[in-house]
Amino acid sequence: MKLLVCVTSVPDTTTKIVFTDNNTKLNKAGVTFITGPYDDYALARAVELKEKTGATITVLNVGQADSEPVIRKCLAIGADDAIRVNAEPTDAYFVAEQIAAIAKENNYDLILMGRESIDYNGGQVHGIVGEMLGIPSISPVMLLDLDGNTAKITREIEGGKESLEAQLPLVLGCQEPIAEWKIPNMRGIMTARTKPLKVVEPTGTDKLTTVASYELPAPRGSVKMIPADEAEKLIQLLHTEAKVI
């Protein structure tokens, strides 16, 4: 069985975000990049399936050279080889097109990725990839087991959960608690240095969207403390200043 795990390289969640070029680009100076947290869940479950079934895992990243430390960490966790598409991943359709092109060449049985990246939070790529490949796409997947060529899946839906079965091949967008994040051990880190990492140029159409500008969230306002016995004053402020009642 061949598994493809698609990962993103995103700023650490504690990063202070600064924009450049008239607020059209992220200033990467001093920024620590990590594997997208939802992609980490996908990779962790892939490693568990590999241990159970003897599958092989290929990690795929659409990104530039500065994403390679993230890719090497994925190899250290348990992936067998990696592919990097040498392009900036700023458009969901463009990224999906690159994933689909690689998948068509290699005939993967199961394509796993996070339900969304934590930089753009679009949640679109898995659905577009499924459409391009003509195979089912399911997200957000919370539980995944394999019985031969049948995937037994639990996904989150509004107000509850849904359990279903589907035949491979599939594209799945993953989230917790599908698996626990895995930390690479020293042996994994050492072997990751020699595992294959293939760099390919992008194919297909140009990006369909471009960024006009980014904006930071508005700063938090000041806080007024109202004594517990002054409920009338609180109501007045909610009406005249906060304007929520």
Side-chain angles (χ1 to χ4, degrees), residues 44-235:
R45 186 59 184 140
V47 171
E48 292 173 351
L49 293 174
K50 173 184 174 179
E51 293 170 350
K52 182 178 179 180
T53 67
T56 60
I57 302 173
T58 297
V59 166
L60 173 59
N61 169 258
V62 180
Q64 297 180 328
D66 55 9
S67 66
E68 291 194 4
V70 166
I71 299 172
R72 289 292 177 191
K73 181 181 177 183
C74 295
L75 292 170
I77 288 173
D80 298 288
D81 61 274
I83 301 171
R84 178 173 68 82
V85 179
N86 189 32
E88 189 71 23
T90 56
D91 179 274
Y93 186 92
F94 175 79
V95 171
E97 195 169 33
Q98 308 313 309
I99 296 171
I102 298 295
K104 287 177 181 177
E105 290 179 5
N106 296 279
N107 297 315
Y108 296 101
D109 299 289
L110 184 60
I111 302 173
L112 302 175
M113 62 185 75
R115 73 174 196 187
E116 62 184 7
S117 63
I118 64 164
D119 46 7
Y120 291 94
N121 297 97
Q124 304 174 66
V125 173
H126 41 74
I128 301 173
V129 171
E131 179 66 22
M132 288 179 170
L133 296 176
I135 61 177
S137 170
I138 301 171
S139 180
V141 175
M142 305 169 64
L143 295 172
L144 168 65
D145 285 303
L146 296 179
D147 182 5
N149 287 326
T150 301
K152 298 182 177 180
I153 296 163
T154 300
R155 70 169 176 173
E156 184 177 10
I157 59 174
E158 186 174 356
K161 302 175 183 178
E162 179 183 48
S163 296
L164 61 156
E165 294 184 358
Q167 297 298 305
L168 302 182
L170 290 171
V171 181
L172 303 181
C174 305
Q175 69 170 38
E176 74 284 359
I178 193 169
E180 293 187 4
W181 288 342
K182 298 188 181 299
I183 300 174
N185 55 35
M186 184 56 65
R187 181 182 178 185
I189 293 171
M190 297 298 292
T191 58
R193 298 177 181 177
T194 58
K195 288 182 178 180
L197 196 171
K198 181 181 179 182
V199 179
V200 300
E201 293 303 314
T203 61
T205 60
D206 293 333
K207 300 177 180 66
L208 300 181
T209 60
T210 56
V211 174
S213 66
Y214 294 109
E215 293 182 18
L216 293 173
R220 293 182 179 179
S222 58
V223 177
K224 290 185 177 181
M225 302 299 293
I226 308 298
D229 58 353
E230 297 184 17
E232 291 184 0
K233 184 177 181 180
L234 173 60
I235 294 171

Side-chain angles (χ1 to χ4, degrees), residues 230-245:
E230 297 184 17
E232 291 184 0
K233 184 177 181 180
L234 173 60
I235 294 171
Q236 181 185 7
L237 291 173
L238 290 173
H239 178 68
T240 59
E241 292 190 14
K243 300 185 185 301
V244 295
I245 60 173

